[in-house]
Amino acid sequence: MRLAPFALFTGLLPLLCVHLTYVLAASYGHVAWCLPYWDSCTSISATGREVPEKLVFKLLMLPAALCAVGFWWLAGQWLRVTYGVRARMMVATGTVAALFLLLYVVALGESNEYRWARQTGIILFFSLTYVAQLRFLFHCTRAR
């Protein structure tokens, strides 16, 4: 089972989405033209709040979150086949992280009363993804 191509796709899809929505948002004047990596002039959230970039953001990030669920399931299968390790906690943590990304994406660009959903979604997505990655590394290093 080859996990690498799907992992690459799962990582590149959100990257493509963020850059595309930034260019759209800047071209419509919704965010400033700058170098966000160096200037810290805008956020990912700011690039997906207004139409039309909001639609593109949701159209690409919803499948990206579903790809993340698939990635963690495939990673669990890969660990089982390669090392004989059952990584249920890693798969569950990664899946819950992806569900919080879904929450963030759905709430982004909606009224400000959903700010708690955006903040909770993105914080728990990044935090739980990090924990799932640590679990993956733990299983890989322990199995060897």
Side-chain angles (χ1 to χ4, degrees), residues 32-53:
W33 283 105
C34 60
L35 297 171
Y37 291 112
W38 288 276
D39 296 339
S40 220
C41 56
T42 191
S43 66
I44 293 171
S45 297
T47 66
R49 288 191 183 133
E50 303 289 331
V51 176
E53 62 269 15

Side-chain angles (χ1 to χ4, degrees), residues 54-76:
K54 173 175 124 172
L55 301 174
V56 173
F57 187 85
K58 289 184 184 223
L59 186 68
L60 292 175
M61 285 304 285
L62 290 173
L66 296 176
C67 284
V69 171
F71 168 79
W72 288 111
W73 183 81
L74 286 172

Side-chain angles (χ1 to χ4, degrees), residues 7-23:
L8 186 62
F9 176 76
T10 302
L12 289 178
L13 184 57
L15 191 65
L16 171 73
C17 173
V18 168
H19 287 88
L20 182 60
T21 55
Y22 169 72
V23 169

